[in-house]
Each structure stands twice: as structure tokens, then as C-alpha cells.
mmCIF file of all heavy atoms in Angstrom:
data_model
loop_
_atom_site.group_PDB
_atom_site.id
_atom_site.type_symbol
_atom_site.label_atom_id
_atom_site.label_comp_id
_atom_site.label_asym_id
_atom_site.label_seq_id
_atom_site.Cartn_x
_atom_site.Cartn_y
_atom_site.Cartn_z
ATOM 1 N N MET A 191 0.817 -1.191 0.000
ATOM 2 C CA MET A 191 0.000 0.000 0.000
ATOM 3 C C MET A 191 0.864 1.260 0.000
ATOM 4 O O MET A 191 0.514 2.247 -0.638
ATOM 5 C CB MET A 191 -0.931 -0.015 1.198
ATOM 6 C CG MET A 191 -1.895 1.120 1.211
ATOM 7 S SD MET A 191 -3.226 0.721 2.332
ATOM 8 C CE MET A 191 -3.915 2.281 2.585
ATOM 9 N N LEU A 192 1.999 1.231 0.704
ATOM 10 C CA LEU A 192 2.873 2.401 0.726
ATOM 11 C C LEU A 192 3.413 2.709 -0.657
ATOM 12 O O LEU A 192 3.652 3.874 -0.982
ATOM 13 C CB LEU A 192 4.015 2.207 1.719
ATOM 14 C CG LEU A 192 3.629 2.205 3.192
ATOM 15 C CD1 LEU A 192 4.853 1.992 4.069
ATOM 16 C CD2 LEU A 192 2.916 3.479 3.582
ATOM 17 N N ASP A 193 3.611 1.677 -1.470
ATOM 18 C CA ASP A 193 4.066 1.909 -2.843
ATOM 19 C C ASP A 193 3.063 2.754 -3.607
ATOM 20 O O ASP A 193 3.440 3.588 -4.430
ATOM 21 C CB ASP A 193 4.281 0.581 -3.575
ATOM 22 C CG ASP A 193 5.512 -0.152 -3.060
ATOM 23 O OD1 ASP A 193 6.400 0.494 -2.466
ATOM 24 O OD2 ASP A 193 5.576 -1.373 -3.253
ATOM 25 N N GLN A 194 1.787 2.542 -3.331
ATOM 26 C CA GLN A 194 0.758 3.328 -4.007
ATOM 27 C C GLN A 194 0.837 4.795 -3.593
ATOM 28 O O GLN A 194 0.651 5.683 -4.422
ATOM 29 C CB GLN A 194 -0.625 2.762 -3.706
ATOM 30 C CG GLN A 194 -0.863 1.408 -4.333
ATOM 31 C CD GLN A 194 -2.166 0.791 -3.879
ATOM 32 O OE1 GLN A 194 -2.674 1.103 -2.809
ATOM 33 N NE2 GLN A 194 -2.708 -0.092 -4.703
ATOM 34 N N PHE A 195 1.126 5.050 -2.335
ATOM 35 C CA PHE A 195 1.261 6.430 -1.888
ATOM 36 C C PHE A 195 2.512 7.069 -2.487
ATOM 37 O O PHE A 195 2.500 8.240 -2.860
ATOM 38 C CB PHE A 195 1.291 6.522 -0.360
ATOM 39 C CG PHE A 195 -0.050 6.274 0.273
ATOM 40 C CD1 PHE A 195 -0.251 5.168 1.060
ATOM 41 C CD2 PHE A 195 -1.100 7.149 0.060
ATOM 42 C CE1 PHE A 195 -1.487 4.932 1.645
ATOM 43 C CE2 PHE A 195 -2.342 6.925 0.638
ATOM 44 C CZ PHE A 195 -2.530 5.811 1.422
ATOM 45 N N ASN A 196 3.595 6.300 -2.562
ATOM 46 C CA ASN A 196 4.807 6.821 -3.196
ATOM 47 C C ASN A 196 4.541 7.181 -4.648
ATOM 48 O O ASN A 196 4.970 8.228 -5.136
ATOM 49 C CB ASN A 196 5.947 5.814 -3.111
ATOM 50 C CG ASN A 196 6.589 5.773 -1.742
ATOM 51 O OD1 ASN A 196 6.760 6.803 -1.119
ATOM 52 N ND2 ASN A 196 6.947 4.598 -1.285
ATOM 53 N N GLU A 197 3.829 6.325 -5.352
ATOM 54 C CA GLU A 197 3.483 6.601 -6.744
ATOM 55 C C GLU A 197 2.545 7.803 -6.831
ATOM 56 O O GLU A 197 2.670 8.639 -7.728
ATOM 57 C CB GLU A 197 2.837 5.379 -7.396
ATOM 58 C CG GLU A 197 2.643 5.552 -8.879
ATOM 59 C CD GLU A 197 2.183 4.286 -9.586
ATOM 60 O OE1 GLU A 197 2.305 3.190 -9.009
ATOM 61 O OE2 GLU A 197 1.712 4.407 -10.715
ATOM 62 N N ALA A 198 1.617 7.903 -5.898
ATOM 63 C CA ALA A 198 0.697 9.046 -5.881
ATOM 64 C C ALA A 198 1.463 10.350 -5.701
ATOM 65 O O ALA A 198 1.126 11.365 -6.324
ATOM 66 C CB ALA A 198 -0.335 8.877 -4.765
ATOM 67 N N ILE A 199 2.497 10.333 -4.882
ATOM 68 C CA ILE A 199 3.310 11.533 -4.675
ATOM 69 C C ILE A 199 3.987 11.942 -5.975
ATOM 70 O O ILE A 199 3.991 13.118 -6.347
ATOM 71 C CB ILE A 199 4.346 11.311 -3.560
ATOM 72 C CG1 ILE A 199 3.646 11.280 -2.210
ATOM 73 C CG2 ILE A 199 5.419 12.400 -3.580
ATOM 74 C CD1 ILE A 199 4.531 10.886 -1.065
ATOM 75 N N ILE A 200 4.538 10.989 -6.680
ATOM 76 C CA ILE A 200 5.203 11.286 -7.954
ATOM 77 C C ILE A 200 4.231 11.937 -8.924
ATOM 78 O O ILE A 200 4.519 12.976 -9.524
ATOM 79 C CB ILE A 200 5.813 10.008 -8.552
ATOM 80 C CG1 ILE A 200 6.987 9.531 -7.683
ATOM 81 C CG2 ILE A 200 6.269 10.245 -9.997
ATOM 82 C CD1 ILE A 200 7.457 8.125 -8.002
ATOM 83 N N TRP A 201 3.058 11.329 -9.092
ATOM 84 C CA TRP A 201 2.084 11.854 -10.065
ATOM 85 C C TRP A 201 1.442 13.153 -9.598
ATOM 86 O O TRP A 201 1.188 14.054 -10.400
ATOM 87 C CB TRP A 201 1.026 10.803 -10.377
ATOM 88 C CG TRP A 201 1.611 9.719 -11.238
ATOM 89 C CD1 TRP A 201 1.959 8.459 -10.848
ATOM 90 C CD2 TRP A 201 1.965 9.828 -12.615
ATOM 91 N NE1 TRP A 201 2.497 7.781 -11.907
ATOM 92 C CE2 TRP A 201 2.509 8.592 -13.013
ATOM 93 C CE3 TRP A 201 1.873 10.843 -13.563
ATOM 94 C CZ2 TRP A 201 2.966 8.345 -14.304
ATOM 95 C CZ3 TRP A 201 2.325 10.603 -14.848
ATOM 96 C CH2 TRP A 201 2.859 9.377 -15.210
ATOM 97 N N ALA A 202 1.183 13.269 -8.313
ATOM 98 C CA ALA A 202 0.586 14.507 -7.806
ATOM 99 C C ALA A 202 1.568 15.670 -7.943
ATOM 100 O O ALA A 202 1.174 16.785 -8.260
ATOM 101 C CB ALA A 202 0.157 14.335 -6.352
ATOM 102 N N ASP A 203 2.847 15.392 -7.730
ATOM 103 C CA ASP A 203 3.859 16.426 -7.900
ATOM 104 C C ASP A 203 3.902 16.903 -9.349
ATOM 105 O O ASP A 203 3.986 18.095 -9.621
ATOM 106 C CB ASP A 203 5.216 15.910 -7.451
ATOM 107 C CG ASP A 203 6.220 17.010 -7.228
ATOM 108 O OD1 ASP A 203 5.817 18.086 -6.737
ATOM 109 O OD2 ASP A 203 7.396 16.802 -7.538
ATOM 110 N N LYS A 204 3.788 15.965 -10.290
ATOM 111 C CA LYS A 204 3.744 16.332 -11.708
ATOM 112 C C LYS A 204 2.473 17.130 -12.017
ATOM 113 O O LYS A 204 2.505 18.086 -12.794
ATOM 114 C CB LYS A 204 3.815 15.087 -12.586
ATOM 115 C CG LYS A 204 5.173 14.423 -12.552
ATOM 116 C CD LYS A 204 5.206 13.170 -13.397
ATOM 117 C CE LYS A 204 6.570 12.506 -13.270
ATOM 118 N NZ LYS A 204 6.731 11.367 -14.148
ATOM 119 N N ALA A 205 1.375 16.727 -11.413
ATOM 120 C CA ALA A 205 0.108 17.427 -11.646
ATOM 121 C C ALA A 205 0.178 18.858 -11.119
ATOM 122 O O ALA A 205 -0.388 19.773 -11.716
ATOM 123 C CB ALA A 205 -1.045 16.670 -10.984
ATOM 124 N N LEU A 206 0.885 19.055 -10.004
ATOM 125 C CA LEU A 206 1.031 20.398 -9.444
ATOM 126 C C LEU A 206 1.738 21.342 -10.405
ATOM 127 O O LEU A 206 1.453 22.532 -10.433
ATOM 128 C CB LEU A 206 1.820 20.352 -8.136
ATOM 129 C CG LEU A 206 1.033 20.030 -6.888
ATOM 130 C CD1 LEU A 206 1.977 19.890 -5.707
ATOM 131 C CD2 LEU A 206 -0.009 21.071 -6.604
ATOM 132 N N GLU A 207 2.665 20.795 -11.183
ATOM 133 C CA GLU A 207 3.371 21.617 -12.157
ATOM 134 C C GLU A 207 2.415 22.148 -13.222
ATOM 135 O O GLU A 207 2.586 23.245 -13.719
ATOM 136 C CB GLU A 207 4.487 20.813 -12.812
ATOM 137 C CG GLU A 207 5.618 20.444 -11.869
ATOM 138 C CD GLU A 207 6.640 19.537 -12.517
ATOM 139 O OE1 GLU A 207 6.637 19.401 -13.753
ATOM 140 O OE2 GLU A 207 7.452 18.962 -11.786
ATOM 141 N N VAL A 208 1.401 21.347 -13.546
ATOM 142 C CA VAL A 208 0.437 21.722 -14.576
ATOM 143 C C VAL A 208 -0.683 22.570 -13.998
ATOM 144 O O VAL A 208 -1.083 23.573 -14.577
ATOM 145 C CB VAL A 208 -0.147 20.453 -15.248
ATOM 146 C CG1 VAL A 208 -1.227 20.810 -16.244
ATOM 147 C CG2 VAL A 208 0.965 19.648 -15.901
ATOM 148 N N ASP A 209 -1.188 22.150 -12.836
ATOM 149 C CA ASP A 209 -2.337 22.825 -12.244
ATOM 150 C C ASP A 209 -2.268 22.699 -10.723
ATOM 151 O O ASP A 209 -2.448 21.603 -10.193
ATOM 152 C CB ASP A 209 -3.619 22.190 -12.779
ATOM 153 C CG ASP A 209 -4.866 22.936 -12.360
ATOM 154 O OD1 ASP A 209 -4.788 23.801 -11.466
ATOM 155 O OD2 ASP A 209 -5.924 22.660 -12.926
ATOM 156 N N PRO A 210 -2.029 23.788 -10.017
ATOM 157 C CA PRO A 210 -1.862 23.729 -8.562
ATOM 158 C C PRO A 210 -3.084 23.254 -7.776
ATOM 159 O O PRO A 210 -2.967 22.981 -6.591
ATOM 160 C CB PRO A 210 -1.523 25.169 -8.166
ATOM 161 C CG PRO A 210 -1.188 25.877 -9.406
ATOM 162 C CD PRO A 210 -1.793 25.118 -10.536
ATOM 163 N N LYS A 211 -4.224 23.119 -8.389
ATOM 164 C CA LYS A 211 -5.408 22.690 -7.627
ATOM 165 C C LYS A 211 -5.295 21.241 -7.153
ATOM 166 O O LYS A 211 -6.085 20.797 -6.331
ATOM 167 C CB LYS A 211 -6.683 22.880 -8.453
ATOM 168 C CG LYS A 211 -6.850 21.900 -9.583
ATOM 169 C CD LYS A 211 -8.128 22.147 -10.346
ATOM 170 C CE LYS A 211 -8.227 21.166 -11.501
ATOM 171 N NZ LYS A 211 -9.284 21.489 -12.402
ATOM 172 N N HIS A 212 -4.308 20.510 -7.622
ATOM 173 C CA HIS A 212 -4.123 19.117 -7.216
ATOM 174 C C HIS A 212 -3.304 18.974 -5.935
ATOM 175 O O HIS A 212 -2.903 17.888 -5.579
ATOM 176 C CB HIS A 212 -3.444 18.326 -8.343
ATOM 177 C CG HIS A 212 -4.235 18.284 -9.590
ATOM 178 N ND1 HIS A 212 -5.371 17.525 -9.720
ATOM 179 C CD2 HIS A 212 -4.081 18.934 -10.762
ATOM 180 C CE1 HIS A 212 -5.872 17.697 -10.924
ATOM 181 N NE2 HIS A 212 -5.113 18.552 -11.574
ATOM 182 N N ARG A 213 -3.105 20.066 -5.239
ATOM 183 C CA ARG A 213 -2.251 20.060 -4.055
ATOM 184 C C ARG A 213 -2.766 19.146 -2.948
ATOM 185 O O ARG A 213 -1.984 18.608 -2.177
ATOM 186 C CB ARG A 213 -2.078 21.483 -3.536
ATOM 187 C CG ARG A 213 -3.379 22.122 -3.122
ATOM 188 C CD ARG A 213 -3.184 23.611 -2.850
ATOM 189 N NE ARG A 213 -4.460 24.258 -2.715
ATOM 190 C CZ ARG A 213 -4.993 25.014 -3.653
ATOM 191 N NH1 ARG A 213 -4.360 25.243 -4.777
ATOM 192 N NH2 ARG A 213 -6.159 25.575 -3.476
ATOM 193 N N ASP A 214 -4.054 18.946 -2.858
ATOM 194 C CA ASP A 214 -4.603 18.137 -1.774
ATOM 195 C C ASP A 214 -4.186 16.670 -1.879
ATOM 196 O O ASP A 214 -3.916 16.038 -0.864
ATOM 197 C CB ASP A 214 -6.120 18.242 -1.741
ATOM 198 C CG ASP A 214 -6.589 19.651 -1.409
ATOM 199 O OD1 ASP A 214 -5.848 20.389 -0.737
ATOM 200 O OD2 ASP A 214 -7.686 20.018 -1.842
ATOM 201 N N SER A 215 -4.129 16.142 -3.080
ATOM 202 C CA SER A 215 -3.754 14.735 -3.234
ATOM 203 C C SER A 215 -2.299 14.524 -2.824
ATOM 204 O O SER A 215 -1.964 13.506 -2.216
ATOM 205 C CB SER A 215 -4.003 14.247 -4.653
ATOM 206 O OG SER A 215 -3.292 15.023 -5.592
ATOM 207 N N LEU A 216 -1.446 15.470 -3.129
ATOM 208 C CA LEU A 216 -0.044 15.346 -2.725
ATOM 209 C C LEU A 216 0.084 15.473 -1.214
ATOM 210 O O LEU A 216 0.785 14.683 -0.576
ATOM 211 C CB LEU A 216 0.809 16.392 -3.433
ATOM 212 C CG LEU A 216 2.300 16.379 -3.111
ATOM 213 C CD1 LEU A 216 2.897 14.996 -3.343
ATOM 214 C CD2 LEU A 216 3.031 17.409 -3.947
ATOM 215 N N SER A 217 -0.607 16.417 -0.631
ATOM 216 C CA SER A 217 -0.560 16.583 0.829
ATOM 217 C C SER A 217 -1.038 15.329 1.537
ATOM 218 O O SER A 217 -0.418 14.868 2.495
ATOM 219 C CB SER A 217 -1.419 17.766 1.259
ATOM 220 O OG SER A 217 -0.918 18.956 0.760
ATOM 221 N N ALA A 218 -2.124 14.749 1.069
ATOM 222 C CA ALA A 218 -2.674 13.542 1.701
ATOM 223 C C ALA A 218 -1.694 12.380 1.602
ATOM 224 O O ALA A 218 -1.508 11.626 2.569
ATOM 225 C CB ALA A 218 -4.005 13.176 1.049
ATOM 226 N N SER A 219 -1.065 12.225 0.455
ATOM 227 C CA SER A 219 -0.104 11.133 0.284
ATOM 228 C C SER A 219 1.100 11.321 1.192
ATOM 229 O O SER A 219 1.589 10.359 1.801
ATOM 230 C CB SER A 219 0.355 11.047 -1.174
ATOM 231 O OG SER A 219 -0.723 10.689 -2.001
ATOM 232 N N LEU A 220 1.593 12.534 1.299
ATOM 233 C CA LEU A 220 2.728 12.802 2.196
ATOM 234 C C LEU A 220 2.366 12.491 3.645
ATOM 235 O O LEU A 220 3.156 11.891 4.373
ATOM 236 C CB LEU A 220 3.171 14.261 2.057
ATOM 237 C CG LEU A 220 3.865 14.626 0.748
ATOM 238 C CD1 LEU A 220 3.989 16.135 0.616
ATOM 239 C CD2 LEU A 220 5.223 13.963 0.650
ATOM 240 N N LEU A 221 1.166 12.868 4.045
ATOM 241 C CA LEU A 221 0.727 12.576 5.414
ATOM 242 C C LEU A 221 0.611 11.080 5.664
ATOM 243 O O LEU A 221 1.030 10.581 6.706
ATOM 244 C CB LEU A 221 -0.599 13.270 5.702
ATOM 245 C CG LEU A 221 -0.536 14.788 5.816
ATOM 246 C CD1 LEU A 221 -1.943 15.370 5.911
ATOM 247 C CD2 LEU A 221 0.310 15.208 7.004
ATOM 248 N N MET A 222 0.065 10.346 4.698
ATOM 249 C CA MET A 222 -0.094 8.895 4.859
ATOM 250 C C MET A 222 1.256 8.187 4.957
ATOM 251 O O MET A 222 1.370 7.141 5.597
ATOM 252 C CB MET A 222 -0.905 8.312 3.703
ATOM 253 C CG MET A 222 -2.349 8.761 3.678
ATOM 254 S SD MET A 222 -3.271 8.288 5.165
ATOM 255 C CE MET A 222 -3.361 6.538 4.961
ATOM 256 N N LEU A 223 2.277 8.752 4.327
ATOM 257 C CA LEU A 223 3.624 8.172 4.388
ATOM 258 C C LEU A 223 4.404 8.652 5.606
ATOM 259 O O LEU A 223 5.536 8.250 5.815
ATOM 260 C CB LEU A 223 4.401 8.515 3.115
ATOM 261 C CG LEU A 223 3.966 7.760 1.873
ATOM 262 C CD1 LEU A 223 4.634 8.338 0.641
ATOM 263 C CD2 LEU A 223 4.299 6.279 2.002
ATOM 264 N N GLY A 224 3.793 9.534 6.396
ATOM 265 C CA GLY A 224 4.470 10.033 7.576
ATOM 266 C C GLY A 224 5.526 11.083 7.267
ATOM 267 O O GLY A 224 6.372 11.374 8.104
ATOM 268 N N GLN A 225 5.471 11.654 6.082
ATOM 269 C CA GLN A 225 6.429 12.686 5.685
ATOM 270 C C GLN A 225 5.852 14.060 6.064
ATOM 271 O O GLN A 225 5.519 14.885 5.226
ATOM 272 C CB GLN A 225 6.723 12.579 4.187
ATOM 273 C CG GLN A 225 7.386 11.271 3.833
ATOM 274 C CD GLN A 225 7.735 11.174 2.369
ATOM 275 O OE1 GLN A 225 7.724 12.150 1.629
ATOM 276 N NE2 GLN A 225 8.058 9.975 1.941
ATOM 277 N N PHE A 226 5.757 14.255 7.362
ATOM 278 C CA PHE A 226 5.073 15.421 7.905
ATOM 279 C C PHE A 226 5.781 16.738 7.566
ATOM 280 O O PHE A 226 5.124 17.733 7.280
ATOM 281 C CB PHE A 226 4.893 15.277 9.414
ATOM 282 C CG PHE A 226 4.162 14.008 9.788
ATOM 283 C CD1 PHE A 226 4.808 13.012 10.492
ATOM 284 C CD2 PHE A 226 2.849 13.809 9.402
ATOM 285 C CE1 PHE A 226 4.139 11.842 10.827
ATOM 286 C CE2 PHE A 226 2.175 12.637 9.727
ATOM 287 C CZ PHE A 226 2.825 11.651 10.427
ATOM 288 N N ASP A 227 7.104 16.744 7.597
ATOM 289 C CA ASP A 227 7.837 17.972 7.269
ATOM 290 C C ASP A 227 7.552 18.410 5.834
ATOM 291 O O ASP A 227 7.336 19.593 5.566
ATOM 292 C CB ASP A 227 9.342 17.790 7.464
ATOM 293 C CG ASP A 227 9.734 17.671 8.931
ATOM 294 O OD1 ASP A 227 8.938 18.105 9.792
ATOM 295 O OD2 ASP A 227 10.821 17.148 9.205
ATOM 296 N N LYS A 228 7.540 17.450 4.914
ATOM 297 C CA LYS A 228 7.250 17.772 3.514
ATOM 298 C C LYS A 228 5.809 18.252 3.351
ATOM 299 O O LYS A 228 5.530 19.166 2.580
ATOM 300 C CB LYS A 228 7.514 16.572 2.617
ATOM 301 C CG LYS A 228 8.979 16.250 2.456
ATOM 302 C CD LYS A 228 9.176 15.065 1.535
ATOM 303 C CE LYS A 228 10.641 14.720 1.406
ATOM 304 N NZ LYS A 228 10.854 13.558 0.532
ATOM 305 N N ALA A 229 4.887 17.612 4.078
ATOM 306 C CA ALA A 229 3.478 18.008 4.002
ATOM 307 C C ALA A 229 3.291 19.433 4.518
ATOM 308 O O ALA A 229 2.546 20.221 3.929
ATOM 309 C CB ALA A 229 2.603 17.033 4.784
ATOM 310 N N ILE A 230 3.984 19.770 5.606
ATOM 311 C CA ILE A 230 3.885 21.120 6.167
ATOM 312 C C ILE A 230 4.489 22.140 5.212
ATOM 313 O O ILE A 230 3.911 23.212 4.981
ATOM 314 C CB ILE A 230 4.562 21.186 7.551
ATOM 315 C CG1 ILE A 230 3.739 20.392 8.565
ATOM 316 C CG2 ILE A 230 4.755 22.627 8.010
ATOM 317 C CD1 ILE A 230 4.421 20.162 9.880
ATOM 318 N N THR A 231 5.626 21.805 4.623
ATOM 319 C CA THR A 231 6.261 22.706 3.658
ATOM 320 C C THR A 231 5.343 22.956 2.475
ATOM 321 O O THR A 231 5.176 24.100 2.024
ATOM 322 C CB THR A 231 7.606 22.129 3.188
ATOM 323 O OG1 THR A 231 8.468 21.981 4.315
ATOM 324 C CG2 THR A 231 8.271 23.014 2.152
ATOM 325 N N LEU A 232 4.719 21.896 1.978
ATOM 326 C CA LEU A 232 3.787 22.027 0.856
ATOM 327 C C LEU A 232 2.588 22.885 1.262
ATOM 328 O O LEU A 232 2.174 23.775 0.521
ATOM 329 C CB LEU A 232 3.316 20.660 0.379
ATOM 330 C CG LEU A 232 2.258 20.681 -0.722
ATOM 331 C CD1 LEU A 232 2.814 21.309 -1.999
ATOM 332 C CD2 LEU A 232 1.739 19.289 -0.990
ATOM 333 N N ALA A 233 2.040 22.624 2.437
ATOM 334 C CA ALA A 233 0.881 23.394 2.895
ATOM 335 C C ALA A 233 1.225 24.877 3.025
ATOM 336 O O ALA A 233 0.443 25.733 2.604
ATOM 337 C CB ALA A 233 0.377 22.845 4.224
ATOM 338 N N ASP A 234 2.401 25.172 3.566
ATOM 339 C CA ASP A 234 2.827 26.576 3.681
ATOM 340 C C ASP A 234 2.938 27.225 2.300
ATOM 341 O O ASP A 234 2.479 28.351 2.104
ATOM 342 C CB ASP A 234 4.166 26.684 4.404
ATOM 343 C CG ASP A 234 4.067 26.433 5.893
ATOM 344 O OD1 ASP A 234 2.939 26.513 6.444
ATOM 345 O OD2 ASP A 234 5.108 26.150 6.515
ATOM 346 N N ARG A 235 3.536 26.507 1.359
ATOM 347 C CA ARG A 235 3.693 27.036 0.000
ATOM 348 C C ARG A 235 2.338 27.275 -0.655
ATOM 349 O O ARG A 235 2.102 28.308 -1.278
ATOM 350 C CB ARG A 235 4.520 26.055 -0.836
ATOM 351 C CG ARG A 235 4.959 26.622 -2.161
ATOM 352 C CD ARG A 235 5.849 25.668 -2.893
ATOM 353 N NE ARG A 235 5.011 24.662 -3.530
ATOM 354 C CZ ARG A 235 5.425 23.494 -3.990
ATOM 355 N NH1 ARG A 235 6.677 23.154 -3.871
ATOM 356 N NH2 ARG A 235 4.597 22.669 -4.545
ATOM 357 N N MET A 236 1.431 26.336 -0.476
ATOM 358 C CA MET A 236 0.115 26.457 -1.102
ATOM 359 C C MET A 236 -0.730 27.545 -0.443
ATOM 360 O O MET A 236 -1.494 28.228 -1.116
ATOM 361 C CB MET A 236 -0.623 25.119 -1.065
ATOM 362 C CG MET A 236 0.014 24.062 -1.933
ATOM 363 S SD MET A 236 0.126 24.601 -3.654
ATOM 364 C CE MET A 236 1.718 23.993 -4.084
ATOM 365 N N LEU A 237 -0.588 27.719 0.871
ATOM 366 C CA LEU A 237 -1.336 28.782 1.544
ATOM 367 C C LEU A 237 -0.883 30.166 1.086
ATOM 368 O O LEU A 237 -1.681 31.095 1.037
ATOM 369 C CB LEU A 237 -1.199 28.660 3.063
ATOM 370 C CG LEU A 237 -2.070 27.575 3.689
ATOM 371 C CD1 LEU A 237 -1.694 27.386 5.153
ATOM 372 C CD2 LEU A 237 -3.539 27.914 3.543
ATOM 373 N N LYS A 238 0.383 30.288 0.740
ATOM 374 C CA LYS A 238 0.867 31.556 0.195
ATOM 375 C C LYS A 238 0.238 31.828 -1.167
ATOM 376 O O LYS A 238 -0.049 32.964 -1.512
ATOM 377 C CB LYS A 238 2.384 31.547 0.085
ATOM 378 C CG LYS A 238 3.067 31.643 1.428
ATOM 379 C CD LYS A 238 4.569 31.558 1.298
ATOM 380 C CE LYS A 238 5.192 31.540 2.688
ATOM 381 N NZ LYS A 238 6.618 31.253 2.655
ATOM 382 N N MET A 239 0.009 30.746 -1.935
ATOM 383 C CA MET A 239 -0.610 30.889 -3.250
ATOM 384 C C MET A 239 -2.107 31.163 -3.133
ATOM 385 O O MET A 239 -2.668 31.914 -3.916
ATOM 386 C CB MET A 239 -0.383 29.624 -4.090
ATOM 387 C CG MET A 239 1.064 29.405 -4.483
ATOM 388 S SD MET A 239 1.313 27.823 -5.307
ATOM 389 C CE MET A 239 0.248 27.963 -6.714
ATOM 390 N N ASP A 240 -2.761 30.521 -2.144
ATOM 391 C CA ASP A 240 -4.203 30.633 -1.990
ATOM 392 C C ASP A 240 -4.543 30.623 -0.496
ATOM 393 O O ASP A 240 -4.838 29.575 0.075
ATOM 394 C CB ASP A 240 -4.899 29.478 -2.706
ATOM 395 C CG ASP A 240 -6.416 29.572 -2.649
ATOM 396 O OD1 ASP A 240 -6.950 30.540 -2.058
ATOM 397 O OD2 ASP A 240 -7.075 28.677 -3.190
ATOM 398 N N PRO A 241 -4.477 31.780 0.162
ATOM 399 C CA PRO A 241 -4.690 31.841 1.610
ATOM 400 C C PRO A 241 -6.099 31.450 2.062
ATOM 401 O O PRO A 241 -6.311 31.181 3.236
ATOM 402 C CB PRO A 241 -4.382 33.291 1.986
ATOM 403 C CG PRO A 241 -4.214 34.030 0.730
ATOM 404 C CD PRO A 241 -4.150 33.066 -0.409
ATOM 405 N N ASN A 242 -7.044 31.393 1.163
ATOM 406 C CA ASN A 242 -8.422 31.043 1.526
ATOM 407 C C ASN A 242 -8.718 29.563 1.380
ATOM 408 O O ASN A 242 -9.820 29.132 1.692
ATOM 409 C CB ASN A 242 -9.409 31.849 0.694
ATOM 410 C CG ASN A 242 -9.291 33.329 0.988
ATOM 411 O OD1 ASN A 242 -9.200 33.729 2.127
ATOM 412 N ND2 ASN A 242 -9.285 34.141 -0.058
ATOM 413 N N HIS A 243 -7.739 28.781 0.927
ATOM 414 C CA HIS A 243 -7.970 27.356 0.743
ATOM 415 C C HIS A 243 -8.022 26.652 2.098
ATOM 416 O O HIS A 243 -7.244 26.939 2.981
ATOM 417 C CB HIS A 243 -6.868 26.737 -0.119
ATOM 418 C CG HIS A 243 -7.096 25.298 -0.430
ATOM 419 N ND1 HIS A 243 -8.014 24.894 -1.370
ATOM 420 C CD2 HIS A 243 -6.560 24.171 0.087
ATOM 421 C CE1 HIS A 243 -8.014 23.583 -1.421
ATOM 422 N NE2 HIS A 243 -7.142 23.119 -0.551
ATOM 423 N N SER A 244 -8.949 25.731 2.234
ATOM 424 C CA SER A 244 -9.106 24.982 3.479
ATOM 425 C C SER A 244 -8.396 23.642 3.364
ATOM 426 O O SER A 244 -8.675 22.848 2.478
ATOM 427 C CB SER A 244 -10.599 24.758 3.748
ATOM 428 O OG SER A 244 -10.748 23.920 4.861
ATOM 429 N N TYR A 245 -7.479 23.387 4.262
ATOM 430 C CA TYR A 245 -6.784 22.101 4.322
ATOM 431 C C TYR A 245 -7.378 21.297 5.467
ATOM 432 O O TYR A 245 -7.267 21.672 6.624
ATOM 433 C CB TYR A 245 -5.289 22.306 4.557
ATOM 434 C CG TYR A 245 -4.600 22.868 3.350
ATOM 435 C CD1 TYR A 245 -4.482 24.234 3.176
ATOM 436 C CD2 TYR A 245 -4.104 22.019 2.377
ATOM 437 C CE1 TYR A 245 -3.861 24.748 2.052
ATOM 438 C CE2 TYR A 245 -3.485 22.534 1.254
ATOM 439 C CZ TYR A 245 -3.370 23.890 1.101
ATOM 440 O OH TYR A 245 -2.772 24.406 -0.010
ATOM 441 N N LEU A 246 -8.015 20.212 5.134
ATOM 442 C CA LEU A 246 -8.632 19.378 6.164
ATOM 443 C C LEU A 246 -7.834 18.123 6.388
ATOM 444 O O LEU A 246 -7.264 17.582 5.558
ATOM 445 C CB LEU A 246 -10.065 19.025 5.773
ATOM 446 C CG LEU A 246 -10.987 20.225 5.568
ATOM 447 C CD1 LEU A 246 -12.334 19.752 5.082
ATOM 448 C CD2 LEU A 246 -11.122 21.018 6.830
#
């Protein structure tokens, strides 16, 4: 199952390059893998881009 999250991170990262609205899938995958520092860094970056976005 972790392999699926690793693959999701790769594809979500590519999707972010095309369209930043896919940020939630990358954040969720990072959290599921326990990569909390990366998830926080991503959330901070995305909040700067869209301060009104809700991260649940």
C-alpha cells in the first residue's frame, strides 16, 4: 500500500506543475507516508498561493 502512496506523490507532484489545484492529493499522500515535514512545507507554499484554501 505504501508503494501506491509513493506513486501518488510522484504523479501529484507532476500534476502540481500543470495545475496547482491538485495540491490536496499530494498533501494527503505525504501525510499517509508520515512525511510530515514535507506536508507542512507544501501546505505553507500552497497557503501563500491561496490563503483562503481549506486544508482538512
Side-chain angles (χ1 to χ4, degrees):
M191 185 162 163
L192 291 179
D193 288 339
Q194 292 173 335
F195 287 114
N196 283 321
E197 188 172 343
I199 288 172
I200 292 167
W201 287 105
D203 196 37
K204 290 178 183 186
L206 276 175
E207 293 175 14
V208 176
D209 187 347
K211 72 180 178 190
H212 299 287
R213 61 190 169 256
D214 295 333
S215 58
L216 180 54
S217 295
S219 295
L220 289 168
L221 290 172
M222 293 299 291
L223 287 170
Q225 296 182 14
F226 304 114
D227 290 340
K228 289 181 182 179
I230 290 169
T231 299
L232 176 64
D234 286 342
R235 191 176 80 197
M236 293 302 140
L237 282 171
K238 288 177 185 171
M239 292 174 60
D240 183 0
N242 296 316
H243 184 76
S244 174
Y245 289 90
L246 301 176

